Amino acid sequence: MSGETSSPVQRGEGQPSQGWRRFVENLRNSVQEQAKIFVQSRMAVAGLAIIVFYVIVALVSPYIVPYGPEERIYTAAGEWAKLQPPSLAHPLGTTESAYDVLSQLLLGARIAMFVGLLGAFMVAIIGTTVGLVAGYYGGWIDEIVMRVVDILYGLPFIPFVIVLVTVLGASVWNIILGIALLYWLSTARVIRSEVLSLRERPYVEAAEAAGASDFRIMGVHILPNVIPLAALYAAIAVGYSIVAQASIAFLGFGDPTVPSWGVMLQRAFVTQSFGTAWWWVFPPGLSITLVVTGAYLVGRGYEEVVNPQLQEK
């Protein structure tokens, strides 16, 4: 996936301070190299632009929303302004409970991006760590880890998270926990396969001969070379995480007090407004679609650049 990291034996493998400096240097070089590769794909850059747009919306939404998430709108007659179509005062109309749809949409971006980015980060960290350890040590450690992965593959995600939030409580954190517990499996498998190949490279054998510790070999000589794979699967996990949170919320197992796109769709469904209040249903549905598409474009575009076999002839 990326260029091999050279590792001359003369660089003092036995000194911890030099090992950490070497690790940081290799990691920085790997990130810089992959950033240069990333910008070569217009598809990936377009996807990243979508993600960045929604991240910006999530960051500024508390300061620009015209109404609170559960602040009711009233008509001139003092009644609830229920299911009002889009207007200058309310560009995306109002809900059955007379809430401003635009405000809920903007605030919902915070939860979506928080779950998406944090879930993807945890998937990348857990999957990379497990795959790195299993691939490097092999033997009975690899066998046990892979059997655990096979068992977890048999657990259906949605029912698993429903049980989890039922036992631990309906919260965004518990949904993220469910994502972290099950979505790292594919990342671990791919990282493990790459590490099995890197494990036999001459520069790794040279580091072993120089007396480098297992931790240093994994961190300094192997990890920087699997960063591209970890980043790829992290990008894909952003979309999975957002869809997972929206699905759980739509089914009614999310925290109803937290404004999110899934909760918006769930309330529209419960009030039977799907077929009438399009301005309530379309914005959150479109936002989920755009963010997931952006994550897919980032992953697919980046993969095509680093894997020539996927490039169109």
Side-chain angles (χ1 to χ4, degrees):
M1 296 289 291
S2 63
E4 294 183 358
T5 304
S6 61
S7 51
V9 179
Q10 302 92 299
R11 296 205 174 186
E13 291 291 348
Q15 301 180 20
S17 60
Q18 291 187 6
W20 278 109
R21 285 198 297 268
R22 181 67 173 169
F23 167 73
V24 174
E25 179 185 351
N26 287 349
L27 189 61
R28 182 178 64 249
N29 292 338
S30 179
V31 171
Q32 291 175 348
E33 177 187 354
Q34 297 308 313
K36 294 178 181 178
I37 294 175
F38 181 87
V39 298
Q40 297 176 18
S41 171
R42 294 182 180 180
M43 182 187 299
V45 172
L48 182 62
I50 297 174
I51 300 296
V52 170
F53 170 77
Y54 276 98
V55 169
I56 293 174
V57 170
L59 293 174
V60 304
S61 61
Y63 309 102
I64 63 174
V65 289
Y67 300 93
E70 295 188 353
E71 180 181 352
R72 286 193 167 89
I73 313 300
Y74 292 89
T75 64
E79 300 176 346
W80 287 5
K82 299 192 301 182
L83 296 178
Q84 297 293 312
S87 63
L88 291 178
H90 307 286
L92 294 180
T94 62
T95 70
E96 171 71 19
S97 300
Y99 300 145
D100 183 63
V101 174
L102 177 60
S103 298
Q104 292 194 336
L105 182 71
L106 294 176
L107 293 174
R110 301 180 66 198
I111 299 300
M113 300 315 301
F114 176 73
V115 173
L117 296 178
L118 181 57
F121 175 77
M122 296 182 70
V123 165
I125 292 297
I126 297 174
T128 301
T129 302
V130 172
L132 189 62
V133 171
Y136 179 79
Y137 286 106
W140 64 270
I141 294 179
D142 182 36
E143 185 70 19
I144 291 176
V145 170
M146 288 300 101
R147 295 298 73 76
V148 171
V149 169
D150 291 339
I151 292 172
L152 293 179
Y153 259 122
L155 294 178
F157 177 77
I158 296 297
F160 173 79
V161 177
I162 289 176
V163 172
L164 190 67
V165 299
T166 301
V167 174
L168 301 180
S171 73
V172 173
W173 289 106
N174 290 332
I175 294 177
I176 294 176
L177 176 61
I179 293 170
L181 289 175
L182 289 188
Y183 272 168
W184 57 269
L185 305 176
S186 297
T187 305
R189 277 181 176 271
V190 175
I191 294 295
R192 168 187 172 270
S193 298
E194 185 70 9
V195 172
L196 288 174
S197 173
L198 295 172
R199 182 73 174 79
E200 306 301 324
R201 300 294 171 87
Y203 62 87
V204 174
E205 295 178 352
E208 291 177 339
S213 65
D214 292 340
F215 179 79
R216 182 170 299 170
I217 293 175
M218 287 188 288
V220 175
H221 304 291
I222 297 180
L223 179 60
N225 290 309
V226 300
I227 290 295
L229 279 173
L232 172 62
Y233 278 83
I236 297 173
V238 171
Y240 287 159
S241 300
I242 292 174
V243 170
Q245 190 278 329
S247 300
I248 296 299
F250 180 78
L251 292 174
F253 292 94
D255 187 348
T257 64
V258 177
S260 70
W261 296 336
V263 170
M264 292 177 67
L265 293 172
Q266 192 263 348
R267 289 178 177 173
F269 178 78
V270 169
T271 58
Q272 299 181 352
S273 302
F274 255 49
T276 55
W278 60 266
W279 58 86
W280 187 6
V281 177
F282 184 73
L286 178 62
S287 295
I288 293 172
T289 302
L290 286 176
V291 175
V292 173
T293 300
Y296 169 79
L297 292 177
V298 169
R300 181 63 179 179
Y302 180 63
E303 188 177 19
E304 286 187 354
V305 172
V306 298
N307 188 354
Q309 295 180 354
L310 296 178
Q311 295 178 0
E312 296 182 0
K313 302 286 185 175

